[in-house]
Amino acid sequence: MVERAFDLVVRGGLVATAAEVFEGDIGILGGRIVALGRGLSAGREEVSARGMIVTPGGLDPHCHLEELGQDGSVHEESFASGSAAALAGGTTSFICFLPQWKGHSLAASAPGYEARAARSRCDYSFHQIITDPTPEVLEREIPALIARGVRSLKVFLTYDPLRLDDAQLIQVLAVARRHQAFVTIHAENYEAIGWRIDALLKAGLTDPLQHAWSRPPVVEREATHRAIALAELVDQPVQIFHVSCEEAAEEIARARARGVKVWGETCPQYLTLSHDDLQGPDFAGAKAVCSPALREKGENEKVWRRILDGTLDVVSSDHCGFSFATAKRAPGSGGYGMGSANLRADGTPAFNAIPNGVPGIETRLPVLFSEGVSKGRIDLPHFVRLSSANAARLFGLAGRKGSLMPGADADIVIWDPDAERTIRNADLHHAIDYTPWEGFAVKGFPHVTIAGGKVAVRGGEVLAQPGDGRFLARGAYDTAKPSGRVPDGFDAASAG
Ligand code: URP
Ligand code: ZN
Ligand code: ZN
């Protein structure tokens, strides 16, 4: 019997890494990539990639799954359904959130959450949300989390039950610096949004579109500027989450140009959707309520430009599992809403009580591939950096995720660059009853997804099982090699 060197060989594709593109084969053994080259010997299993593009599996560093709000509401996406959707869309690992309920320790918030996460079909990790930075949390719980590989914190500058004030933000940044944790920030000005909400409601303006009116770009610009200034003060690397507009991106670019360690993330919704999607009959605009809000048509192109100049170097989904049917009943927003839940005459909630966030874990990469690669805005290495490699560095997974080099986890997507699809919710694997991209045409689609060295999705059929994913304990962030364009004046030696 012939001894096979590989469990699986991905044969003859156009292989794209974060740096280059070449034709070749990938040899996999024991769940890891062990060889890259031409004419590799036969594996026990072979997957042909001829005529296809081969990339590292996507890493989605920002998604909300099964989060249990302090108000009793729950993100309806389970780990089993969300991870099936992720894999079907070419994402082979993700980072979601351990909640902290105000007035509770980290340990006492959302009991059982980590056990539920173990149902994931693909690899996963957590950011820890900090809403109540008590001395116990700062001095004992955060260091303990970091020691077991939860090395990033998320803080909110808005949302009623979640937000931190500036003094609390500084405390969290300082603790993160001490323990080499990364900090991600939701940057919008809480007081300004509250003032606008009150004025709109008083004027009887309650439609989903008014969600965007309640939080215009200046609200995001102010908080982004403030967050960066405080991070600069503490000398702590941060990433501004879900940048929606040029105004906020410009703050990041200016800070990076003078050497501040700040990175920017955006999401497909800010690259493709607009105020148009917040309107429509039968409350349909509620399907596109997210924060920061969608901007006017034409602003998408400015966000693309900030991808091209390297200011925004991660594209995540910010997947949120609130169904349309649930949002209509306004049962609670899981904290992701502002102000009291005002009901309108027809029983639907006013804009401020619609749970914030859109589902997108499955559509993230097909939309990015189609709008980016197929439309010629970005090349394949840039796609790899945006979809996995940059996040892997920032979140302590470099070398393991976002890479096709020997030693990396065998997480691979084989893309059919010619496949043309129209996104329909009925075809998606998530548990949510809508997609804001319904009817959106894409060119380029995952043909086969391989996770941990096994075929996880083939031809749209998810083969990976609940529990196949593993928890990813992460290392320190990698700011010695900043992702994207190296800003002028960046001093790598003093980073961290
Ligand atoms: O609207 C959004 N983005 N909802 C999810 C929670 C968050 O702010 O990340
Ligand atoms: Zn956020
Ligand atoms: Zn989010």
Side-chain angles (χ1 to χ4, degrees), residues 62 64 97 154 156 241-242 318 320:
H62 181 172
H64 302 264
F97 298 89
K154 159 123 194 220
F156 296 88
F241 261 177
H242 40 45
D318 195 6
C320 278

